[in-house]
Amino acid sequence: MQKMVLARVWPISRLETVTQVKKLLSQFSNPTKLNEVAILPTIASYRDPMLGECAHPWLAEAVADHFRLAAHVADMSLLGYEHKTMNMRLAFKTTGYENMANEKGMRIVTDEKDMRAADMGVLLLKPNSSVHIPNEVELGFLKRNSTNIVIADFLISPSKFPKLSGAVVATDDIVLMKGLLAHVYQDKRSFVVNDYLSTLQGPTDWIRRHYVQKRPPNITSGPFRRLLGLYARVCGDVVPPVLQGW
Amino acid sequence: MIRIGIIGLGRLGKLHYLNLLRIPHVKLVAVCDLYDQNLVFASHGGVRCYKDYKRMLDEAYLDGLVLSTPHSFRYEPISLCAAKGIDVFVDKPLATSTSEANSILTVVRENQTQLMVGANFRYFPSVRRLKSMVQAGNFGRIIASAGELVLDGLFVNPVYDPAADLDWRMDPLRSGGGALMNLGYHLIDLYLSLFGPLEFVSGRIESIFNLPVEDYAMIVLRSKDGVEISMNVGLFAKSVTPKFTFRISILGTALVESTDAFAPRNLTVHAAKQIITNLGRRAAFRPINYLAYTYYYSSYYEVMRDFVMTLVNGDNVPIPAETQLPTIALIEKIYGALIDAKNGSS
């Protein structure tokens, strides 16, 4: 049976995050001996992970600590799929994953041919993704690894400024997690309609208070860019290349 | 018509390209870049594309050149242009060291060509207003000043900025430095124009994102009149257009004022107003204010227009390269002192 568990990290700090995530992980039935654990964080920018564009490296640190102690894992790897818009080596460096991996003795793998099936796969989700449907990379990762845990750090709510709620959720079912994310972010494109909050253990009102709010307009988003393009064509004005997608 | 070419079609090079197409008296004849994906940007409209800048300079018969290359690649193209009598507009910084800047100035003087540096922050209306107040003595005795410039910088949305483009900016040898060289340069240039010669007092540089170049710098300077200046520059904050974090505050015995007082309070509302104004101007067949809706980018249009107009009128360029020597010398001195201090403490 699928399981979803919730904790609140408060005050938000490295120590408290690691402690709470380790507690969450201990609620899943983990094997006592694992050879390899692969961790795939979703990273969408080079920026500070506190902005909510990347899963926070503190989660990966907690995962590493938990499985080293609970399952005597010999080999820990941190995976990043290189693609044309992201230099994952650089992203691991700027978001703090590289330092964490060195500290915890983890292998960083960004070349797809070096990726292999691990005994346990842990997917770390970025918290405010706009589309809450498992993407190709995530599904590929989940298929590759037979046993999986998905963690969303939930540290950030989608407002004009990052608002730290401190929620951390772990599950062994990505669809359940994506459904919850869709629900709390009121994603109209969600394919999940059930009230997943009711599946959570513990009080959940505070999640709603933190998360249910309107997203601020972003001038670089599609409709704004199209309007800007229309204005530029009518007036003959310049649209800076950075806003044109160059 | 002035025949102009561009070397370097990165983020700024592309903006210069679009601006030059809209500046009167300009015929944009050739562009040069190493990467095909950048040349595609300029592959229409009868502009010739080159991958070899020497060939472009030989074949295009240019009157002026816009140089928008990595910071370390300045001397070779400028000296070749000088030898051919071509005037050059170069993005800041002029060079990454005083020795390179001096070599560039020597070759430009020998050939009696013009070299202008695109120190576009001087064109912000808020900066011009504050400068006029300083010159008018409105502040009384100026005691101190604070400057802030914090941008996305190296972390522009990766969807729009392919990672390959980031490489040279993260290489200290090619970029000459990080936040101090990229952003501190603008503030130091402004402070030199406001208060005259400056001396370095203390500071700190740091790489918050574990990069080979610093992404944060806090610098304290002092003018010869005793004005204490503290500067904070950083490449760490999420900053999406039209958001733009820049301010200079001046603390005087008669007045305390900041550029914020003369800048639009809400840049999104400002953008909407400017767009409506320009639509009205277009409907009335009047010239529009290019890029005014962005506030920040309009300065690039203005600085380029001034360069072109000096070529058309045969005047001297408004920001000659000589004016940039003190900026480069001060940055070099700051890096030297802070890196020595870091090595000493480690």
Side-chain angles (χ1 to χ4, degrees):
Chain A
M1 185 180 162
Q2 296 93 346
K3 188 173 192 179
M4 181 178 260
V5 284
L6 163 76
R8 192 180 194 199
V9 177
W10 204 261
I12 292 169
S13 67
R14 179 178 175 174
L15 183 65
E16 185 65 12
T17 307
V18 172
T19 308
Q20 291 297 339
V21 174
K22 279 159 72 177
K23 274 187 195 166
L24 288 185
L25 290 171
S26 67
Q27 295 184 47
F28 292 86
S29 53
N30 304 137
T32 51
K33 176 76 181 152
L34 291 171
N35 285 323
E36 183 173 358
V37 170
I39 301 173
L40 176 70
T42 51
I43 296 180
S45 90
Y46 303 105
R47 297 192 183 102
D48 183 358
M50 277 293 183
L51 295 176
E53 294 168 338
C54 310
H56 205 291
W58 292 343
L59 300 191
E61 184 178 342
V63 170
D65 282 359
H66 171 76
F67 285 108
R68 283 237 196 274
L69 200 67
H72 310 286
V73 179
D75 195 358
M76 285 276 184
S77 52
L78 191 62
L79 310 187
Y81 285 78
E82 289 282 0
H83 48 96
K84 62 180 180 183
T85 56
M86 284 292 289
N87 176 340
M88 287 308 294
R89 282 267 163 200
L90 176 64
F92 277 146
K93 186 187 272 287
T94 62
T95 51
Y97 275 96
E98 189 184 87
N99 282 351
M100 188 276 303
N102 291 339
E103 210 175 288
K104 297 289 169 189
M106 297 168 80
R107 197 162 54 94
I108 291 183
V109 181
T110 54
D111 194 337
E112 199 154 358
K113 64 177 185 288
D114 292 339
M115 293 178 190
R116 53 181 190 246
D119 297 337
M120 171 70 78
V122 181
L123 184 64
L124 307 179
L125 289 181
K126 69 171 178 166
N128 60 355
S129 164
S130 56
V131 180
H132 299 298
I133 297 170
N135 63 32
E136 254 177 66
V137 169
E138 290 164 2
L139 287 176
F141 176 79
L142 295 170
K143 274 184 197 161
R144 194 196 297 265
N145 304 296
S146 52
T147 317
N148 296 289
I149 291 179
V150 183
I151 309 172
D153 67 17
F154 263 16
L155 286 172
I156 313 295
S157 61
S159 62
K160 189 173 179 184
F161 307 106
K163 289 183 79 176
L164 309 178
S165 77
V168 180
V169 179
T171 180
D172 49 10
D173 181 354
I174 190 168
V175 177
L176 207 59
M177 177 68 85
K178 291 279 181 171
L180 171 67
L181 290 173
H183 188 95
V184 296
Y185 288 116
Q186 302 279 292
D187 192 338
K188 296 285 185 290
R189 286 167 293 182
S190 166
F191 66 107
V192 183
V193 291
N194 295 328
D195 187 356
Y196 280 104
L197 286 178
S198 63
T199 67
L200 290 173
Q201 297 167 0
T204 55
D205 286 352
W206 57 274
I207 298 187
R208 277 203 162 281
R209 280 203 302 277
H210 274 88
Y211 285 98
V212 181
Q213 42 192 300
K214 209 175 170 194
R215 281 170 190 274
N218 181 350
I219 202 162
T220 59
S221 66
F224 278 95
R225 277 169 63 190
R226 279 196 289 277
L227 276 175
L228 206 53
L230 182 65
Y231 154 74
R233 273 198 299 281
V234 170
C235 265
D237 205 346
V238 177
V239 178
V242 72
L243 296 184
Q244 288 183 45
W246 281 90
Chain B
M1 295 291 266
I2 300 290
R3 292 172 64 86
I4 291 197
I6 303 175
I7 300 179
L9 278 180
R11 265 193 299 162
L12 272 185
K14 290 188 187 91
L15 182 63
H16 294 325
Y17 173 90
L18 294 171
N19 284 338
L20 284 165
L21 291 177
R22 288 160 177 83
I23 294 173
H25 312 296
V26 169
K27 184 172 171 57
L28 188 56
V29 289
V31 295
C32 175
D33 196 281
L34 289 175
Y35 300 103
D36 288 330
Q37 69 264 33
N38 286 338
L39 288 174
V40 169
F41 187 84
S43 60
H44 48 82
V47 179
R48 290 196 66 179
C49 297
Y50 293 86
K51 284 192 168 182
D52 179 352
Y53 77 93
K54 290 177 183 167
R55 201 174 141 217
M56 181 181 93
L57 295 178
D58 282 340
E59 294 180 359
Y61 303 105
L62 301 174
D63 300 308
L65 178 91
V66 173
L67 187 61
S68 188
T69 52
H71 301 162
S72 59
F73 185 63
R74 296 282 155 93
Y75 176 76
E76 293 88 345
I78 290 174
S79 57
L80 203 55
C81 283
K84 289 178 179 295
I86 300 170
D87 295 325
V88 177
F89 172 97
V90 59
D91 281 326
K92 69 88 204 163
L94 170 63
T96 55
S97 65
T98 43
S99 59
E100 190 191 1
N102 279 321
S103 307
I104 290 172
L105 288 175
T106 305
V107 74
V108 168
R109 277 192 206 112
E110 280 170 0
N111 290 282
Q112 297 182 337
T113 54
Q114 296 220 66
L115 176 59
M116 173 167 165
V117 179
N120 60 305
F121 275 50
R122 295 188 186 193
Y123 284 73
F124 289 167
S126 58
V127 169
R128 286 178 159 166
R129 186 83 180 270
L130 203 68
K131 188 174 178 180
S132 70
M133 291 170 74
V134 170
Q135 287 168 340
N138 295 359
F139 287 93
R141 185 183 153 209
I142 297 173
I143 308 298
S145 179
E148 276 171 37
L149 182 52
V150 183
L151 299 178
D152 232 359
L154 306 177
F155 305 112
V156 172
N157 190 335
V159 174
Y160 301 144
D161 201 3
D165 190 41
L166 299 171
D167 291 351
W168 72 266
R169 289 158 64 98
M170 304 226 182
D171 177 356
L173 292 176
R174 297 177 72 199
S175 63
L180 180 59
M181 181 57 90
N182 279 289
L183 306 181
Y185 189 102
H186 284 297
L187 288 184
I188 290 173
D189 177 60
L190 293 181
Y191 276 125
L192 284 165
S193 72
L194 284 171
F195 302 131
L198 303 170
E199 63 171 305
F200 171 60
V201 178
S202 64
R204 187 165 74 89
I205 53 174
E206 196 180 325
S207 179
I208 293 164
F209 289 110
N210 311 305
L211 300 171
V213 293
E214 84 282 356
D215 46 30
Y216 170 65
M218 194 285 291
I219 306 294
V220 178
L221 305 169
R222 188 183 296 120
S223 78
K224 65 177 173 26
D225 295 329
V227 180
E228 295 278 353
I229 297 162
S230 64
M231 276 175 27
N232 272 291
V233 291
L235 288 163
F236 52 76
K238 184 177 178 179
S239 175
V240 178
T241 305
K243 197 176 170 191
F244 178 61
T245 311
F246 160 73
R247 69 178 54 82
I248 286 181
S249 308
I250 295 180
L251 288 65
T253 51
L255 181 67
V256 174
E257 198 56 278
S258 152
T259 48
D260 281 353
F262 313 116
R265 181 169 291 189
N266 183 324
L267 289 173
T268 307
V269 173
H270 169 80
K273 278 183 186 169
Q274 293 300 321
I275 283 173
I276 292 165
T277 306
N278 273 347
L279 287 168
R281 282 171 166 264
R282 183 57 79 203
F285 300 102
R286 290 170 59 203
I288 65 165
N289 296 319
Y290 289 105
L291 285 161
Y293 69 94
T294 64
Y295 184 68
Y296 167 63
Y297 286 108
S298 58
S299 59
Y300 286 102
Y301 178 85
E302 289 168 26
V303 74
M304 188 59 72
R305 186 194 53 204
D306 277 8
F307 170 68
V308 170
M309 292 319 291
T310 54
L311 299 195
V312 171
N313 299 328
D315 296 337
N316 291 324
V317 289
I319 310 174
E322 290 82 358
T323 61
Q324 301 298 299
L325 261 182
T327 311
I328 295 168
L330 187 55
I331 289 175
E332 196 174 49
K333 190 174 174 184
I334 295 170
Y335 273 130
L338 295 181
I339 289 166
D340 282 351
K342 236 180 191 178
N343 292 341
S345 65
S346 63

